[in-house]
Amino acid sequence: MSEKLTEKPVVSFLNELASSAPAPGGGSVAALAGALGAALISMVNNLTIGKEKYASVQTDIKALLEKSESLRKKLADRLEEDVVVYTKLSQTMKMPRDTEEQKNARAKAMDRDLKAAADVPLHVAEACVAVMELCRPVAEKGNINAVSDVGVGILMAEAGLRSAALNVLINLGWIKDARYVSETRNKLDALLQGKPALRDEIYELVASKL
Amino acid sequence: MSEKLTEKPVVSFLNELASSAPAPGGGSVAALAGALGAALISMVNNLTIGKEKYASVQTDIKALLEKSESLRKKLADRLEEDVVVYTKLSQTMKMPRDTEEQKNARAKAMDRDLKAAADVPLHVAEACVAVMELCRPVAEKGNINAVSDVGVGILMAEAGLRSAALNVLINLGWIKDARYVSETRNKLDALLQGKPALRDEIYELVASKL
């Protein structure tokens, strides 16, 4: 088993991303963007905890920190998962298809692996939306000196969401199971709904406090 | 001198980001987002080079790869620079201000260091715009199988641009030199101009090819 992607130095991650190697790719970047957003929200919470000026919001901020840290962990895990499912899919693509039996076995395995490859970015998209939903209370209650970091947080989480959406869509295009495709597309549409507006709202809220 | 930020494992970078330590923060994330975008554009170029199907665009793609790699290197360097100028600024903030002389010396040093702290994200913003400008030709000419990665690339570059903008603005608010402030704000406005539309255009172009 090769080293985990998140255990590699940032510069190696960037080098491997830029190379023609099959993974990491856009799916991993989507998860990383979400994790960066969650980490920034955690940072603002950590810069608020224990500060006298913010005494009245300590309970809220601690609850928000618990959520942002849980999402950060989830998104970092998804980054690894994305590589696993993508590698599996690449192997299945190479299955023989000389006989009818082989063709059927390959088609079945492909559909299973494509669904797994679509599920990971779908979960990334869900987690990115959850990060976005933490931004307003943190921008309103958190340490004002770090409010620009909430702005960067929502930008990263929204970019993660839309990047994940592209990675769901690219897999859906190849999946034969029409019911799965339509259900997944509906879930994705619901996640994307209203998010550009939320991004703009939080960005404006942050900019107004700079 | 501490270890370079980009030499740390991704997971350590995320841990340090989430902590209340002064750096890294949103400024480093802006540069990293741009570098991730540039790396994805490089990846698509690398997946196009040497492929028979794309024989007619090899010269163009090689030129685009040279640009994306140069921007990736520049943005990774800015990530380190951001920490350096921010650390310097934190130290200057602690300069004594008991006498008039000390107050003047501190104010002068603050203005110098705040300008350096604004210049780094301004250069990050410029590089992110340059990454965004590579996306259309790569989406049109590059390997169609990796077109979703161009989509993720533009999302990351645009998030990097706007994140950098917030980090310029937060510093401008404290700078006394009115001419510098107005010139920098003009440069920033010019960089931001039309970029949400460009992001949407490339995203739609990519989605139409999935």
Side-chain angles (χ1 to χ4, degrees):
Chain A
M1 200 57 201
S2 67
E3 194 185 2
K4 280 173 84 178
L5 209 49
T6 51
E7 281 163 13
K8 291 184 181 174
V10 173
V11 70
S12 307
F13 182 89
L14 287 168
N15 286 339
E16 291 184 24
L17 186 61
S19 79
S20 60
S28 305
V29 173
L32 179 56
L36 289 164
L40 283 163
I41 300 306
S42 292
M43 179 182 112
V44 180
N45 288 327
N46 278 321
L47 287 166
T48 309
I49 288 171
K51 293 262 160 66
E52 209 174 329
K53 190 178 162 193
Y54 301 95
S56 67
V57 295
Q58 292 293 308
T59 310
D60 295 352
I61 290 289
K62 279 174 191 163
L64 289 162
L65 176 63
E66 212 165 288
K67 285 183 191 169
S68 59
E69 283 295 86
S70 149
L71 289 165
R72 176 164 79 90
K73 200 194 161 309
K74 202 174 283 181
L75 283 157
D77 289 345
R78 297 290 183 214
L79 196 160
E80 307 293 346
E81 258 179 73
D82 193 78
V83 178
V84 172
V85 295
Y86 193 87
T87 307
K88 183 88 167 51
L89 181 62
S90 307
Q91 286 162 350
T92 302
M93 271 185 193
K94 292 176 196 148
M95 279 172 72
R97 41 181 167 171
D98 301 323
T99 67
E100 275 310 304
E101 206 171 38
Q102 285 177 342
K103 276 183 200 166
N104 286 336
R106 182 177 176 278
K108 211 174 154 187
M110 281 295 291
D111 229 44
R112 178 199 65 208
D113 292 351
L114 282 163
K115 283 179 192 173
D119 281 342
V120 174
L122 186 69
H123 293 140
V124 168
E126 283 167 358
C128 286
V129 167
V131 174
M132 290 183 78
E133 284 166 352
L134 300 179
C135 290
R136 189 193 306 277
V138 176
E140 284 170 352
K141 297 174 187 171
N143 192 323
I144 183 83
N145 295 327
V147 74
S148 72
D149 296 299
V150 181
V152 179
I154 195 132
L155 290 165
M156 297 310 296
E158 201 257 0
L161 164 63
R162 299 206 31 196
S163 297
L166 287 174
N167 281 275
V168 174
L169 291 174
I170 204 166
N171 288 300
L172 286 191
W174 296 95
I175 294 173
K176 301 278 187 292
D177 179 344
R179 187 173 160 180
Y180 172 89
V181 169
S182 120
E183 282 177 1
T184 305
R185 198 177 286 269
N186 287 344
K187 282 184 203 165
L188 191 60
D189 286 346
L191 289 168
L192 289 166
Q193 184 72 33
K195 295 314 176 299
L198 178 58
R199 170 178 116 126
D200 290 346
E201 269 174 55
I202 302 297
Y203 190 87
E204 290 310 320
L205 175 65
V206 165
S208 76
K209 288 172 182 258
L210 290 184
Chain B
M1 198 60 199
S2 67
E3 194 185 3
K4 282 173 83 177
L5 208 50
T6 50
E7 281 163 14
K8 291 183 180 174
V10 172
V11 69
S12 307
F13 181 89
L14 287 168
N15 286 338
E16 291 185 24
L17 187 61
S19 80
S20 61
S28 305
V29 173
L32 178 56
L36 288 165
L40 283 164
I41 301 305
S42 292
M43 179 182 112
V44 180
N45 288 326
N46 278 320
L47 286 166
T48 309
I49 288 171
K51 294 264 161 63
E52 210 175 329
K53 191 179 161 191
Y54 301 95
S56 67
V57 296
Q58 293 293 308
T59 310
D60 294 353
I61 289 289
K62 280 175 192 164
L64 289 162
L65 176 63
E66 211 165 287
K67 286 182 189 168
S68 59
E69 282 299 85
S70 151
L71 289 165
R72 176 163 80 90
K73 201 193 162 308
K74 202 174 281 180
L75 283 156
D77 289 346
R78 297 290 182 216
L79 196 160
E80 307 293 346
E81 258 178 72
D82 193 77
V83 178
V84 172
V85 294
Y86 193 86
T87 306
K88 183 87 169 46
L89 181 62
S90 307
Q91 286 161 351
T92 301
M93 273 185 193
K94 291 176 197 148
M95 278 172 72
R97 40 181 167 171
D98 302 323
T99 68
E100 276 308 304
E101 207 172 37
Q102 284 177 343
K103 275 184 200 165
N104 286 337
R106 181 177 177 279
K108 211 172 151 187
M110 281 294 290
D111 228 44
R112 178 200 64 208
D113 292 352
L114 281 163
K115 283 179 192 172
D119 281 342
V120 174
L122 186 68
H123 292 141
V124 168
E126 283 167 357
C128 286
V129 168
V131 173
M132 289 184 78
E133 285 167 351
L134 300 179
C135 290
R136 189 193 305 276
V138 175
E140 286 171 349
K141 296 174 187 170
N143 192 325
I144 184 83
N145 295 326
V147 73
S148 73
D149 296 299
V150 180
V152 179
I154 196 130
L155 290 164
M156 297 310 297
E158 201 258 359
L161 164 64
R162 300 208 27 198
S163 298
L166 287 174
N167 280 276
V168 174
L169 291 173
I170 203 165
N171 287 302
L172 287 192
W174 296 95
I175 295 172
K176 303 278 188 292
D177 178 345
R179 186 172 159 181
Y180 172 89
V181 169
S182 119
E183 281 178 1
T184 305
R185 199 177 285 269
N186 287 344
K187 281 183 202 165
L188 192 60
D189 286 347
L191 289 168
L192 290 166
Q193 183 73 33
K195 294 314 177 300
L198 178 57
R199 171 178 115 126
D200 290 346
E201 269 174 55
I202 302 296
Y203 190 87
E204 292 309 320
L205 175 65
V206 165
S208 76
K209 287 173 183 260
L210 290 183

